[in-house]
Amino acid sequence: MDRILVLGSAGSGKSTLSRKLGSIFDLPVIHLDRYYWNPNWVPTSDEEWDQRVEALSRQERWIIDGNYSRTLDIRIGRADTIIFLDMPTLLCIYRVIKRRVMYHRKTRPDLNERCPEKLDWAFLKWVWNFRRRSRPRVVQKLQEASSEKQIIILKNRKQVDDFIRRFEKGGNFGS
């Protein structure tokens, strides 16, 4: 297990889980938001983004967290393990609001410098609609990859906590 892809809605806990697993397994953590957003929330162009994701995913060892569905196939192709945080919508909404309060006028650790935390209705709507709009495609991609990749789906905080605790006690993905 050298390349772990972590997927899920905004607020599902991707970055937190990635940091914890990175520490446990001594894997470099790549937060895609940090690479996609330039200062002042300016997005990277599609062409540059595709090249960047390709280069990041070619590294030998990593944990990559983030959605960015257009480049999902690139990351799935290189990952050996995929973790999907299939969290309840209200939990994700709560967490993005909490995150906004915690990082008011600051940049989160998983973002590029000079991208202070923000929250608007468009983003809340995106989170609210994730299960209906984005989840079916993610689930389909996971089913397609399931014969070649280790797929782990975690559906609530208790499952995530138990999952982390297993590795803190020296377990591995196969146990």
Side-chain angles (χ1 to χ4, degrees):
M1 183 238 358
D2 291 313
R3 292 176 301 281
I4 303 170
L5 177 58
V6 181
L7 304 170
S9 172
S12 64
K14 295 181 303 294
S15 295
T16 301
L17 177 62
S18 296
R19 280 191 299 272
K20 288 179 181 178
L21 292 178
S23 176
I24 291 168
F25 295 114
D26 194 29
L27 288 169
V29 177
I30 300 167
H31 302 289
L32 288 182
D33 283 344
R34 180 177 289 156
Y35 292 88
Y36 181 76
W37 295 106
N38 296 299
N40 302 311
W41 295 99
V42 175
T44 300
S45 71
D46 288 350
E47 182 179 337
E48 183 181 344
W49 179 241
D50 292 351
Q51 292 171 359
R52 191 171 288 170
V53 170
E54 185 71 46
L56 290 168
S57 66
R58 273 196 307 264
Q59 296 177 28
E60 287 304 309
R61 302 179 75 239
W62 47 253
I63 297 175
I64 294 179
D65 78 53
N67 289 307
Y68 301 96
S69 60
R70 208 181 82 254
T71 59
L72 185 56
D73 288 337
I74 296 170
R75 290 172 279 134
I76 286 176
R78 282 287 292 155
D80 52 44
T81 303
I82 304 167
I83 302 170
F84 178 40
L85 298 178
D86 193 15
M87 297 294 150
T89 301
L90 289 178
L91 176 62
C92 295
I93 293 285
Y94 165 77
R95 286 177 171 172
V96 297
I97 292 170
K98 178 182 171 186
R99 184 168 73 191
R100 171 61 176 90
V101 171
M102 283 178 54
Y103 290 100
H104 180 67
R105 295 187 178 175
K106 297 180 206 164
T107 299
R108 288 193 329 254
D110 54 318
L111 280 172
N112 195 345
E113 301 261 340
R114 295 190 294 153
C115 285
E117 185 64 26
K118 66 178 187 169
L119 184 63
D120 56 28
W121 286 112
F123 183 64
L124 282 174
K125 185 177 175 183
W126 187 89
V127 175
W128 183 259
N129 290 317
F130 180 86
R131 291 189 73 77
R132 183 175 45 82
R133 191 195 73 256
S134 300
R135 183 183 180 277
R137 181 169 187 250
V138 170
V139 169
Q140 177 187 350
K141 295 284 185 186
L142 295 180
Q143 288 171 344
E144 292 169 2
S146 65
S147 65
E148 303 169 1
K149 313 289 180 178
Q150 180 162 9
I151 309 294
I152 298 157
I153 299 175
L154 303 172
K155 296 184 176 239
N156 57 54
R157 288 184 281 196
K158 182 182 181 332
Q159 288 181 355
V160 172
D161 291 343
D162 290 346
F163 183 73
I164 293 167
R165 206 170 5 266
R166 181 170 78 200
F167 300 116
E168 289 173 337
K169 293 179 179 178
N172 58 46
F173 278 93
S175 63

mmCIF file of all heavy atoms in Angstrom, residues 32-68:
data_model
loop_
_atom_site.group_PDB
_atom_site.id
_atom_site.type_symbol
_atom_site.label_atom_id
_atom_site.label_comp_id
_atom_site.label_asym_id
_atom_site.label_seq_id
_atom_site.Cartn_x
_atom_site.Cartn_y
_atom_site.Cartn_z
ATOM 1 N N LEU A 32 -5.243 18.125 -2.851
ATOM 2 C CA LEU A 32 -5.434 18.697 -4.193
ATOM 3 C C LEU A 32 -5.864 20.161 -4.152
ATOM 4 O O LEU A 32 -5.485 20.928 -5.037
ATOM 5 C CB LEU A 32 -6.426 17.867 -4.995
ATOM 6 C CG LEU A 32 -5.925 16.510 -5.454
ATOM 7 C CD1 LEU A 32 -6.988 15.804 -6.287
ATOM 8 C CD2 LEU A 32 -4.620 16.613 -6.229
ATOM 9 N N ASP A 33 -6.643 20.549 -3.147
ATOM 10 C CA ASP A 33 -7.063 21.958 -3.057
ATOM 11 C C ASP A 33 -5.858 22.896 -3.021
ATOM 12 O O ASP A 33 -5.886 23.987 -3.588
ATOM 13 C CB ASP A 33 -7.921 22.205 -1.814
ATOM 14 C CG ASP A 33 -9.346 21.703 -1.979
ATOM 15 O OD1 ASP A 33 -9.773 21.440 -3.121
ATOM 16 O OD2 ASP A 33 -10.043 21.589 -0.949
ATOM 17 N N ARG A 34 -4.810 22.472 -2.357
ATOM 18 C CA ARG A 34 -3.601 23.303 -2.247
ATOM 19 C C ARG A 34 -2.963 23.534 -3.624
ATOM 20 O O ARG A 34 -2.363 24.566 -3.881
ATOM 21 C CB ARG A 34 -2.599 22.641 -1.313
ATOM 22 C CG ARG A 34 -1.322 23.453 -1.150
ATOM 23 C CD ARG A 34 -0.379 22.837 -0.168
ATOM 24 N NE ARG A 34 -0.935 22.986 1.176
ATOM 25 C CZ ARG A 34 -0.645 22.205 2.192
ATOM 26 N NH1 ARG A 34 0.192 21.204 2.050
ATOM 27 N NH2 ARG A 34 -1.167 22.400 3.372
ATOM 28 N N TYR A 35 -3.093 22.550 -4.507
ATOM 29 C CA TYR A 35 -2.488 22.652 -5.842
ATOM 30 C C TYR A 35 -3.426 23.265 -6.873
ATOM 31 O O TYR A 35 -2.970 23.806 -7.874
ATOM 32 C CB TYR A 35 -2.036 21.269 -6.317
ATOM 33 C CG TYR A 35 -0.887 20.743 -5.515
ATOM 34 C CD1 TYR A 35 -1.107 20.012 -4.354
ATOM 35 C CD2 TYR A 35 0.422 21.011 -5.894
ATOM 36 C CE1 TYR A 35 -0.045 19.548 -3.599
ATOM 37 C CE2 TYR A 35 1.488 20.549 -5.144
ATOM 38 C CZ TYR A 35 1.248 19.825 -3.993
ATOM 39 O OH TYR A 35 2.293 19.375 -3.248
ATOM 40 N N TYR A 36 -4.718 23.164 -6.642
ATOM 41 C CA TYR A 36 -5.682 23.682 -7.612
ATOM 42 C C TYR A 36 -5.886 25.193 -7.466
ATOM 43 O O TYR A 36 -5.936 25.923 -8.444
ATOM 44 C CB TYR A 36 -7.031 22.973 -7.458
ATOM 45 C CG TYR A 36 -8.060 23.448 -8.448
ATOM 46 C CD1 TYR A 36 -8.012 23.043 -9.770
ATOM 47 C CD2 TYR A 36 -9.073 24.328 -8.070
ATOM 48 C CE1 TYR A 36 -8.936 23.479 -10.696
ATOM 49 C CE2 TYR A 36 -10.004 24.763 -8.979
ATOM 50 C CZ TYR A 36 -9.932 24.345 -10.288
ATOM 51 O OH TYR A 36 -10.858 24.795 -11.193
ATOM 52 N N TRP A 37 -6.009 25.637 -6.217
ATOM 53 C CA TRP A 37 -6.311 27.047 -5.973
ATOM 54 C C TRP A 37 -5.037 27.860 -5.843
ATOM 55 O O TRP A 37 -4.198 27.600 -4.998
ATOM 56 C CB TRP A 37 -7.154 27.205 -4.712
ATOM 57 C CG TRP A 37 -8.494 26.578 -4.863
ATOM 58 C CD1 TRP A 37 -8.931 25.421 -4.296
ATOM 59 C CD2 TRP A 37 -9.559 27.068 -5.663
ATOM 60 N NE1 TRP A 37 -10.204 25.159 -4.696
ATOM 61 C CE2 TRP A 37 -10.632 26.155 -5.534
ATOM 62 C CE3 TRP A 37 -9.733 28.191 -6.491
ATOM 63 C CZ2 TRP A 37 -11.841 26.322 -6.186
ATOM 64 C CZ3 TRP A 37 -10.939 28.361 -7.145
ATOM 65 C CH2 TRP A 37 -11.973 27.441 -6.982
ATOM 66 N N ASN A 38 -4.929 28.882 -6.676
ATOM 67 C CA ASN A 38 -3.858 29.856 -6.587
ATOM 68 C C ASN A 38 -4.288 30.937 -5.605
ATOM 69 O O ASN A 38 -5.454 30.995 -5.216
ATOM 70 C CB ASN A 38 -3.575 30.442 -7.979
ATOM 71 C CG ASN A 38 -3.057 29.365 -8.923
ATOM 72 O OD1 ASN A 38 -2.021 28.771 -8.678
ATOM 73 N ND2 ASN A 38 -3.800 29.095 -9.991
ATOM 74 N N PRO A 39 -3.392 31.822 -5.187
ATOM 75 C CA PRO A 39 -3.776 32.870 -4.237
ATOM 76 C C PRO A 39 -5.045 33.605 -4.673
ATOM 77 O O PRO A 39 -5.302 33.789 -5.856
ATOM 78 C CB PRO A 39 -2.560 33.809 -4.239
ATOM 79 C CG PRO A 39 -1.411 32.881 -4.528
ATOM 80 C CD PRO A 39 -1.968 31.886 -5.522
ATOM 81 N N ASN A 40 -5.829 33.967 -3.662
ATOM 82 C CA ASN A 40 -7.093 34.684 -3.847
ATOM 83 C C ASN A 40 -8.131 33.852 -4.597
ATOM 84 O O ASN A 40 -8.962 34.374 -5.319
ATOM 85 C CB ASN A 40 -6.867 36.028 -4.541
ATOM 86 C CG ASN A 40 -5.920 36.900 -3.751
ATOM 87 O OD1 ASN A 40 -6.089 37.071 -2.540
ATOM 88 N ND2 ASN A 40 -4.891 37.404 -4.405
ATOM 89 N N TRP A 41 -8.056 32.537 -4.427
ATOM 90 C CA TRP A 41 -9.039 31.604 -4.976
ATOM 91 C C TRP A 41 -9.109 31.615 -6.498
ATOM 92 O O TRP A 41 -10.154 31.423 -7.098
ATOM 93 C CB TRP A 41 -10.424 31.852 -4.380
ATOM 94 C CG TRP A 41 -10.467 31.569 -2.919
ATOM 95 C CD1 TRP A 41 -10.384 32.487 -1.915
ATOM 96 C CD2 TRP A 41 -10.595 30.288 -2.293
ATOM 97 N NE1 TRP A 41 -10.435 31.854 -0.696
ATOM 98 C CE2 TRP A 41 -10.572 30.498 -0.903
ATOM 99 C CE3 TRP A 41 -10.701 28.988 -2.779
ATOM 100 C CZ2 TRP A 41 -10.672 29.457 0.015
ATOM 101 C CZ3 TRP A 41 -10.804 27.947 -1.864
ATOM 102 C CH2 TRP A 41 -10.790 28.191 -0.490
ATOM 103 N N VAL A 42 -7.976 31.823 -7.136
ATOM 104 C CA VAL A 42 -7.920 31.767 -8.600
ATOM 105 C C VAL A 42 -7.645 30.315 -9.001
ATOM 106 O O VAL A 42 -6.634 29.744 -8.597
ATOM 107 C CB VAL A 42 -6.813 32.703 -9.149
ATOM 108 C CG1 VAL A 42 -6.668 32.551 -10.655
ATOM 109 C CG2 VAL A 42 -7.114 34.151 -8.763
ATOM 110 N N PRO A 43 -8.538 29.710 -9.794
ATOM 111 C CA PRO A 43 -8.344 28.307 -10.161
ATOM 112 C C PRO A 43 -7.225 28.121 -11.182
ATOM 113 O O PRO A 43 -6.910 29.015 -11.962
ATOM 114 C CB PRO A 43 -9.696 27.899 -10.758
ATOM 115 C CG PRO A 43 -10.308 29.176 -11.227
ATOM 116 C CD PRO A 43 -9.781 30.265 -10.332
ATOM 117 N N THR A 44 -6.648 26.940 -11.174
ATOM 118 C CA THR A 44 -5.650 26.558 -12.164
ATOM 119 C C THR A 44 -6.373 26.224 -13.464
ATOM 120 O O THR A 44 -7.459 25.657 -13.446
ATOM 121 C CB THR A 44 -4.871 25.326 -11.655
ATOM 122 O OG1 THR A 44 -4.232 25.684 -10.432
ATOM 123 C CG2 THR A 44 -3.841 24.854 -12.653
ATOM 124 N N SER A 45 -5.765 26.546 -14.596
ATOM 125 C CA SER A 45 -6.388 26.230 -15.890
ATOM 126 C C SER A 45 -6.499 24.717 -16.052
ATOM 127 O O SER A 45 -5.719 23.960 -15.480
ATOM 128 C CB SER A 45 -5.560 26.817 -17.041
ATOM 129 O OG SER A 45 -4.356 26.087 -17.177
ATOM 130 N N ASP A 46 -7.464 24.270 -16.866
ATOM 131 C CA ASP A 46 -7.687 22.838 -17.067
ATOM 132 C C ASP A 46 -6.433 22.128 -17.564
ATOM 133 O O ASP A 46 -6.068 21.066 -17.057
ATOM 134 C CB ASP A 46 -8.838 22.598 -18.067
ATOM 135 C CG ASP A 46 -10.196 22.922 -17.466
ATOM 136 O OD1 ASP A 46 -10.293 23.153 -16.237
ATOM 137 O OD2 ASP A 46 -11.175 22.930 -18.239
ATOM 138 N N GLU A 47 -5.774 22.698 -18.533
ATOM 139 C CA GLU A 47 -4.588 22.051 -19.109
ATOM 140 C C GLU A 47 -3.478 21.919 -18.064
ATOM 141 O O GLU A 47 -2.874 20.851 -17.902
ATOM 142 C CB GLU A 47 -4.079 22.833 -20.316
ATOM 143 C CG GLU A 47 -2.886 22.192 -20.987
ATOM 144 C CD GLU A 47 -2.410 22.988 -22.197
ATOM 145 O OE1 GLU A 47 -3.196 23.749 -22.779
ATOM 146 O OE2 GLU A 47 -1.219 22.821 -22.543
ATOM 147 N N GLU A 48 -3.220 23.007 -17.357
ATOM 148 C CA GLU A 48 -2.184 22.972 -16.322
ATOM 149 C C GLU A 48 -2.580 22.012 -15.203
ATOM 150 O O GLU A 48 -1.738 21.271 -14.676
ATOM 151 C CB GLU A 48 -1.948 24.378 -15.762
ATOM 152 C CG GLU A 48 -0.847 24.439 -14.736
ATOM 153 C CD GLU A 48 -0.641 25.833 -14.161
ATOM 154 O OE1 GLU A 48 -1.135 26.825 -14.755
ATOM 155 O OE2 GLU A 48 0.005 25.930 -13.104
ATOM 156 N N TRP A 49 -3.861 21.994 -14.845
ATOM 157 C CA TRP A 49 -4.341 21.116 -13.778
ATOM 158 C C TRP A 49 -4.147 19.642 -14.141
ATOM 159 O O TRP A 49 -3.660 18.855 -13.345
ATOM 160 C CB TRP A 49 -5.800 21.411 -13.476
ATOM 161 C CG TRP A 49 -6.357 20.537 -12.400
ATOM 162 C CD1 TRP A 49 -7.402 19.663 -12.508
ATOM 163 C CD2 TRP A 49 -5.907 20.443 -11.042
ATOM 164 N NE1 TRP A 49 -7.609 19.033 -11.311
ATOM 165 C CE2 TRP A 49 -6.713 19.492 -10.396
ATOM 166 C CE3 TRP A 49 -4.886 21.053 -10.329
ATOM 167 C CZ2 TRP A 49 -6.538 19.151 -9.062
ATOM 168 C CZ3 TRP A 49 -4.715 20.719 -8.999
ATOM 169 C CH2 TRP A 49 -5.534 19.775 -8.380
ATOM 170 N N ASP A 50 -4.510 19.291 -15.364
ATOM 171 C CA ASP A 50 -4.351 17.905 -15.806
ATOM 172 C C ASP A 50 -2.884 17.478 -15.722
ATOM 173 O O ASP A 50 -2.572 16.376 -15.250
ATOM 174 C CB ASP A 50 -4.861 17.727 -17.238
ATOM 175 C CG ASP A 50 -6.364 17.886 -17.343
ATOM 176 O OD1 ASP A 50 -7.049 17.962 -16.303
ATOM 177 O OD2 ASP A 50 -6.868 17.951 -18.482
ATOM 178 N N GLN A 51 -1.994 18.347 -16.148
ATOM 179 C CA GLN A 51 -0.559 18.041 -16.100
ATOM 180 C C GLN A 51 -0.077 17.911 -14.654
ATOM 181 O O GLN A 51 0.725 17.036 -14.321
ATOM 182 C CB GLN A 51 0.240 19.116 -16.833
ATOM 183 C CG GLN A 51 0.018 19.122 -18.325
ATOM 184 C CD GLN A 51 0.646 20.334 -19.003
ATOM 185 O OE1 GLN A 51 1.238 21.193 -18.360
ATOM 186 N NE2 GLN A 51 0.507 20.402 -20.324
ATOM 187 N N ARG A 52 -0.575 18.779 -13.799
ATOM 188 C CA ARG A 52 -0.172 18.769 -12.393
ATOM 189 C C ARG A 52 -0.638 17.479 -11.711
ATOM 190 O O ARG A 52 0.132 16.832 -10.991
ATOM 191 C CB ARG A 52 -0.746 19.995 -11.676
ATOM 192 C CG ARG A 52 -0.180 20.210 -10.303
ATOM 193 C CD ARG A 52 -0.600 21.528 -9.730
ATOM 194 N NE ARG A 52 0.101 22.615 -10.404
ATOM 195 C CZ ARG A 52 -0.191 23.897 -10.248
ATOM 196 N NH1 ARG A 52 -1.188 24.256 -9.461
ATOM 197 N NH2 ARG A 52 0.476 24.823 -10.884
ATOM 198 N N VAL A 53 -1.885 17.095 -11.944
ATOM 199 C CA VAL A 53 -2.415 15.865 -11.336
ATOM 200 C C VAL A 53 -1.659 14.650 -11.856
ATOM 201 O O VAL A 53 -1.324 13.738 -11.091
ATOM 202 C CB VAL A 53 -3.936 15.733 -11.579
ATOM 203 C CG1 VAL A 53 -4.447 14.353 -11.179
ATOM 204 C CG2 VAL A 53 -4.696 16.820 -10.840
ATOM 205 N N GLU A 54 -1.378 14.645 -13.143
ATOM 206 C CA GLU A 54 -0.607 13.547 -13.736
ATOM 207 C C GLU A 54 0.759 13.436 -13.057
ATOM 208 O O GLU A 54 1.189 12.341 -12.673
ATOM 209 C CB GLU A 54 -0.436 13.779 -15.239
ATOM 210 C CG GLU A 54 0.227 12.657 -15.972
ATOM 211 C CD GLU A 54 -0.636 11.423 -16.102
ATOM 212 O OE1 GLU A 54 -1.807 11.543 -16.451
ATOM 213 O OE2 GLU A 54 -0.101 10.324 -15.854
ATOM 214 N N ALA A 55 1.439 14.557 -12.888
ATOM 215 C CA ALA A 55 2.767 14.551 -12.255
ATOM 216 C C ALA A 55 2.682 14.125 -10.790
ATOM 217 O O ALA A 55 3.501 13.322 -10.325
ATOM 218 C CB ALA A 55 3.411 15.933 -12.381
ATOM 219 N N LEU A 56 1.714 14.641 -10.052
ATOM 220 C CA LEU A 56 1.570 14.272 -8.649
ATOM 221 C C LEU A 56 1.275 12.785 -8.497
ATOM 222 O O LEU A 56 1.834 12.121 -7.632
ATOM 223 C CB LEU A 56 0.444 15.099 -8.000
ATOM 224 C CG LEU A 56 0.726 16.583 -7.797
ATOM 225 C CD1 LEU A 56 -0.551 17.327 -7.429
ATOM 226 C CD2 LEU A 56 1.807 16.789 -6.743
ATOM 227 N N SER A 57 0.426 12.261 -9.345
ATOM 228 C CA SER A 57 0.032 10.856 -9.208
ATOM 229 C C SER A 57 1.140 9.894 -9.667
ATOM 230 O O SER A 57 1.113 8.719 -9.304
ATOM 231 C CB SER A 57 -1.267 10.584 -9.964
ATOM 232 O OG SER A 57 -1.082 10.730 -11.349
ATOM 233 N N ARG A 58 2.102 10.371 -10.427
ATOM 234 C CA ARG A 58 3.224 9.525 -10.862
ATOM 235 C C ARG A 58 4.235 9.279 -9.747
ATOM 236 O O ARG A 58 5.081 8.395 -9.867
ATOM 237 C CB ARG A 58 3.935 10.146 -12.062
ATOM 238 C CG ARG A 58 3.316 9.758 -13.390
ATOM 239 C CD ARG A 58 4.248 10.065 -14.550
ATOM 240 N NE ARG A 58 4.714 11.425 -14.578
ATOM 241 C CZ ARG A 58 4.165 12.414 -15.295
ATOM 242 N NH1 ARG A 58 3.137 12.171 -16.058
ATOM 243 N NH2 ARG A 58 4.670 13.619 -15.252
ATOM 244 N N GLN A 59 4.158 10.047 -8.684
ATOM 245 C CA GLN A 59 5.069 9.815 -7.569
ATOM 246 C C GLN A 59 4.867 8.402 -7.034
ATOM 247 O O GLN A 59 3.785 7.832 -7.154
ATOM 248 C CB GLN A 59 4.835 10.847 -6.467
ATOM 249 C CG GLN A 59 5.155 12.273 -6.908
ATOM 250 C CD GLN A 59 4.854 13.280 -5.824
ATOM 251 O OE1 GLN A 59 4.908 12.976 -4.645
ATOM 252 N NE2 GLN A 59 4.522 14.497 -6.234
ATOM 253 N N GLU A 60 5.900 7.835 -6.451
ATOM 254 C CA GLU A 60 5.856 6.437 -5.999
ATOM 255 C C GLU A 60 4.960 6.207 -4.796
ATOM 256 O O GLU A 60 4.323 5.167 -4.684
ATOM 257 C CB GLU A 60 7.269 5.937 -5.699
ATOM 258 C CG GLU A 60 8.092 5.696 -6.945
ATOM 259 C CD GLU A 60 7.427 4.734 -7.916
ATOM 260 O OE1 GLU A 60 7.006 3.635 -7.492
ATOM 261 O OE2 GLU A 60 7.297 5.096 -9.096
ATOM 262 N N ARG A 61 4.947 7.167 -3.869
ATOM 263 C CA ARG A 61 4.191 6.983 -2.625
ATOM 264 C C ARG A 61 3.426 8.255 -2.320
ATOM 265 O O ARG A 61 3.987 9.342 -2.403
ATOM 266 C CB ARG A 61 5.154 6.663 -1.477
ATOM 267 C CG ARG A 61 6.001 5.430 -1.728
ATOM 268 C CD ARG A 61 6.956 5.148 -0.582
ATOM 269 N NE ARG A 61 6.204 4.596 0.540
ATOM 270 C CZ ARG A 61 6.148 5.132 1.765
ATOM 271 N NH1 ARG A 61 6.792 6.229 2.050
ATOM 272 N NH2 ARG A 61 5.442 4.552 2.714
ATOM 273 N N TRP A 62 2.149 8.096 -1.937
ATOM 274 C CA TRP A 62 1.349 9.273 -1.605
ATOM 275 C C TRP A 62 -0.004 8.911 -1.010
ATOM 276 O O TRP A 62 -0.476 7.790 -1.140
ATOM 277 C CB TRP A 62 1.134 10.196 -2.788
ATOM 278 C CG TRP A 62 0.715 9.582 -4.109
ATOM 279 C CD1 TRP A 62 1.517 9.448 -5.204
ATOM 280 C CD2 TRP A 62 -0.567 9.057 -4.497
ATOM 281 N NE1 TRP A 62 0.801 8.869 -6.242
ATOM 282 C CE2 TRP A 62 -0.476 8.626 -5.838
ATOM 283 C CE3 TRP A 62 -1.781 8.912 -3.852
ATOM 284 C CZ2 TRP A 62 -1.548 8.063 -6.532
ATOM 285 C CZ3 TRP A 62 -2.863 8.348 -4.529
ATOM 286 C CH2 TRP A 62 -2.735 7.939 -5.854
ATOM 287 N N ILE A 63 -0.566 9.916 -0.379
ATOM 288 C CA ILE A 63 -1.993 9.951 -0.081
ATOM 289 C C ILE A 63 -2.474 11.215 -0.769
ATOM 290 O O ILE A 63 -1.943 12.302 -0.525
ATOM 291 C CB ILE A 63 -2.276 10.026 1.431
ATOM 292 C CG1 ILE A 63 -1.753 8.772 2.136
ATOM 293 C CG2 ILE A 63 -3.774 10.217 1.681
ATOM 294 C CD1 ILE A 63 -1.879 8.824 3.638
ATOM 295 N N ILE A 64 -3.448 11.078 -1.644
ATOM 296 C CA ILE A 64 -4.030 12.248 -2.329
ATOM 297 C C ILE A 64 -5.474 12.372 -1.884
ATOM 298 O O ILE A 64 -6.242 11.412 -1.984
ATOM 299 C CB ILE A 64 -3.961 12.107 -3.865
ATOM 300 C CG1 ILE A 64 -2.514 12.127 -4.355
ATOM 301 C CG2 ILE A 64 -4.764 13.233 -4.533
ATOM 302 C CD1 ILE A 64 -2.361 11.972 -5.871
ATOM 303 N N ASP A 65 -5.833 13.559 -1.394
ATOM 304 C CA ASP A 65 -7.242 13.787 -1.072
ATOM 305 C C ASP A 65 -7.800 14.900 -1.942
ATOM 306 O O ASP A 65 -7.104 15.852 -2.272
ATOM 307 C CB ASP A 65 -7.443 14.056 0.426
ATOM 308 C CG ASP A 65 -7.091 15.462 0.873
ATOM 309 O OD1 ASP A 65 -7.606 16.431 0.289
ATOM 310 O OD2 ASP A 65 -6.321 15.596 1.836
ATOM 311 N N GLY A 66 -9.037 14.710 -2.332
ATOM 312 C CA GLY A 66 -9.730 15.719 -3.129
ATOM 313 C C GLY A 66 -10.653 15.064 -4.137
ATOM 314 O O GLY A 66 -10.533 13.886 -4.438
ATOM 315 N N ASN A 67 -11.552 15.848 -4.661
ATOM 316 C CA ASN A 67 -12.537 15.339 -5.614
ATOM 317 C C ASN A 67 -12.086 15.577 -7.044
ATOM 318 O O ASN A 67 -11.494 14.718 -7.651
ATOM 319 C CB ASN A 67 -13.906 15.949 -5.338
ATOM 320 C CG ASN A 67 -14.489 15.380 -4.054
ATOM 321 O OD1 ASN A 67 -14.579 14.186 -3.895
ATOM 322 N ND2 ASN A 67 -14.851 16.242 -3.128
ATOM 323 N N TYR A 68 -12.377 16.736 -7.591
ATOM 324 C CA TYR A 68 -11.946 17.092 -8.946
ATOM 325 C C TYR A 68 -12.229 15.955 -9.922
ATOM 326 O O TYR A 68 -11.326 15.290 -10.427
ATOM 327 C CB TYR A 68 -10.467 17.509 -8.949
ATOM 328 C CG TYR A 68 -10.218 18.690 -8.046
ATOM 329 C CD1 TYR A 68 -9.778 18.508 -6.744
ATOM 330 C CD2 TYR A 68 -10.483 19.978 -8.488
ATOM 331 C CE1 TYR A 68 -9.583 19.591 -5.895
ATOM 332 C CE2 TYR A 68 -10.286 21.070 -7.652
ATOM 333 C CZ TYR A 68 -9.845 20.865 -6.363
ATOM 334 O OH TYR A 68 -9.663 21.931 -5.532
#
